[in-house]
Amino acid sequence: MIKLDSFEPDAPNEADVSHKNNEYTGRYLVSLMHEGMDFSEVKNVFQRELGLKIANTLDFEDKNDISEESYEDADMMIFNELGVAIVGVDEDKSSEIMKLSVRSSYVMEPEEIITAPNPIETKTQVASTWGIKATKVDQTQYTGKNVKVAVLDTGFDFSHPDFVGRNISSKSFVPRESAADINGHGTHCIGTTCGNTDNNGIRYGVAKDSDIYVGKVLGGPRGSGTDSWILNGINWAVVNNCKVINMSLGSRVFPGQTYKLAYERAAKYALKNGSLIIAAAGNDSQRPFFFNPIGSPANSPSILAVAAVDVNLHAAKFSNRAINPGSRIEISGPGVNVRSSWITSVQRYKTIHGTSMATPHVSGIAALYAEQHPNASPLQLWNMLTANAQAINGPAADYGAGLVIAP
């Protein structure tokens, strides 16, 4: 596998998003063109004609052991269940793989560098989180008890005092980094999704009794990763029977650009195996002057895309819009002035903006519905979220079904 040099792409800046270019790793995602296929034919061709060294999830007895470090000596790693592979070879062999795709049933997509969107910090830190009341989380009897929730992000501050006694499982998919959060974004998202109250007893978290699964897929101080690390995280979360998978991350999508087949394959696999993926629509717009399409992977049809609203239920100025054909905003969540946990070595709490902050509200409430209806399928949970949303007077391209509401 082509080794990735240490990289730290610039964190997105709200002022220059219209000029920012996406960054790539030099590797490729290989997705099976048709559902129901397996990689046996593709594997044989790659081995026979190109001499690639190939690893497969089927080779691992313990599926929890799968990470980039466990297959770094292979040229290609096949996520057999997902119907997706990652391949990293020199330029000559990449060209041959592209040629073979013409007569084989797979699609190649360049692997991108993914980021946790740079949180837009408020000048004044608020004392409470309005979203808990707006979504009626403070009125529900449900707490997410016995529901497994995965947050794929920058990791978690395991020393945070607000989470003492909680059931927390973790794994890092970032090579040579533990699951500890050195960015803050992941701890903030986990706080909103699965936290409870702050040191003054003020509620800021939704599914306060859920089982927390920390999947670190973004590393370094700025929180950057790759598509394959995220696919690793999705595979791990599904293997561990997580009902809800929160992904407050993404890359920019341009007008007319379609979704990545690799994420759609992974999302469909998750839906069939009991997991609902909920992702941030992205912070690339500058309303009212500039609207950007829903980012990746939230633009995949089988992933529930979340927009951000403010306290007046107006679309946040940075929140992306469903512009491209086939993409949809499914629902909205509180995404402006959201207070949640942070890295305690820096500060215990932080108030920031972003669709990254709206998404954990929706994921936490999905866990509440999962507790209320323990036998519900992921698609049924999806429908419960949208059917019970509070309508917002505005285009569905901005708000979807409206503001998420707790059961």
Side-chain angles (χ1 to χ4, degrees):
M1 186 74 65
I2 289 178
K3 303 295 190 297
L4 299 179
D5 295 329
S6 178
F7 61 85
E8 279 296 337
D10 291 336
N13 185 310
E14 188 185 8
D16 64 4
V17 290
S18 61
H19 307 293
K20 182 175 174 59
N21 294 320
N22 290 13
E23 299 183 58
Y24 300 89
T25 66
R27 308 190 300 193
Y28 289 88
L29 300 170
V30 180
S31 304
L32 295 175
M33 194 174 295
H34 305 294
E35 288 185 69
M37 294 175 58
D38 62 45
F39 264 101
S40 56
E41 180 183 344
V42 176
K43 178 181 177 181
N44 290 337
V45 170
F46 281 18
Q47 285 179 322
R48 182 177 63 250
E49 300 195 25
L50 298 175
L52 299 189
K53 185 177 180 181
I54 299 175
N56 194 315
T57 53
L58 299 177
D59 302 332
F60 292 80
E61 185 174 344
D62 186 351
K63 304 302 182 188
N64 283 302
D65 288 341
I66 301 171
S67 67
E68 186 156 312
E69 291 175 313
S70 66
Y71 56 78
E72 63 182 359
D73 292 331
D75 300 308
M76 181 177 188
M77 173 63 189
I78 297 172
F79 297 91
N80 198 73
E81 297 82 1
L82 273 63
V84 178
I86 177 74
V87 61
V89 292
D90 59 40
E91 190 173 337
D92 290 343
K93 285 188 177 179
S94 291
S95 298
E96 290 300 313
I97 292 172
M98 295 289 269
K99 292 176 185 176
L100 286 171
S101 69
V102 175
R103 60 183 175 86
S104 303
S105 298
Y106 62 86
V107 175
M108 290 186 64
E109 301 165 297
E111 183 189 39
E112 283 189 271
I113 291 173
I114 307 299
T115 60
N118 192 33
I120 305 159
E121 189 169 357
T122 61
K123 293 180 180 179
T124 303
Q125 296 294 304
V126 299
S128 63
T129 296
W130 63 271
I132 294 297
K133 290 185 177 180
T135 58
K136 301 184 180 178
V137 168
D138 60 334
Q139 299 178 30
T140 183
Q141 62 179 306
Y142 300 104
T143 62
K145 189 173 180 61
N146 298 322
V147 178
K148 296 180 179 180
V149 179
V151 179
L152 306 184
D153 212 288
T154 64
F156 182 60
D157 178 3
F158 296 94
S159 66
H160 202 289
D162 292 359
F163 296 84
V164 173
R166 294 292 296 275
N167 293 326
I168 303 177
S169 302
S170 65
K171 186 170 179 66
S172 175
F173 300 96
V174 178
R176 294 167 293 281
E177 284 192 22
S178 73
D181 188 3
I182 57 176
N183 173 277
H185 191 274
T187 299
H188 197 279
C189 291
I190 288 172
T192 301
T193 311
C194 306
N196 188 3
T197 58
D198 65 12
N199 54 347
N200 293 315
I202 298 173
R203 180 84 173 267
Y204 66 87
V206 179
K208 62 181 182 178
D209 289 326
S210 59
D211 296 335
I212 304 169
Y213 280 72
V214 180
K216 184 172 182 175
V217 298
L218 305 174
R222 290 182 178 169
S224 57
T226 70
D227 288 321
S228 58
W229 299 353
I230 295 165
L231 291 170
N232 267 305
I234 292 171
N235 189 62
W236 170 78
V238 176
V239 165
N240 281 281
N241 301 309
C242 294
K243 278 277 193 179
V244 181
I245 302 174
N246 186 92
M247 299 203 311
S248 293
L249 47 76
S251 60
R252 189 182 176 197
V253 168
F254 296 89
Q257 184 180 346
T258 189
Y259 59 85
K260 286 184 181 177
L261 184 58
Y263 280 119
E264 180 61 8
R265 286 280 172 268
K268 284 190 173 182
Y269 163 74
L271 288 174
K272 289 179 180 177
N273 289 275
S275 300
L276 173 62
I277 301 177
I278 301 173
N283 303 343
D284 307 309
S285 296
Q286 295 178 359
R287 297 167 181 269
F289 309 107
F290 172 77
F291 300 90
N292 211 70
I294 300 169
S296 176
N299 64 336
S300 299
S302 298
I303 293 178
L304 193 150
V306 181
V309 295
D310 62 20
V311 69
N312 297 311
L313 303 190
H314 296 154
K317 64 179 181 178
F318 49 79
S319 189
N320 288 345
R321 171 178 280 181
I323 294 172
N324 287 346
S327 68
R328 293 177 58 182
I329 294 291
E330 297 293 340
I331 204 164
S332 299
V336 177
N337 284 337
V338 177
R339 185 172 185 268
S340 185
S341 48
W342 199 254
I343 305 172
T344 50
S345 61
V346 178
Q347 60 190 84
R348 192 162 172 178
Y349 308 101
K350 199 168 189 178
T351 303
I352 51 181
H353 311 318
T355 55
S356 286
M357 287 60 256
T359 304
H361 283 90
V362 178
S363 295
I365 289 173
L368 305 185
Y369 279 106
E371 180 191 3
Q372 183 186 35
H373 302 279
N375 297 319
S377 70
L379 284 176
Q380 287 172 325
L381 290 178
W382 181 317
N383 291 332
M384 289 174 197
L385 289 167
T386 55
N388 291 289
Q390 176 184 326
I392 298 175
N393 185 21
D398 287 335
Y399 301 105
L403 179 68
V404 64
I405 297 294

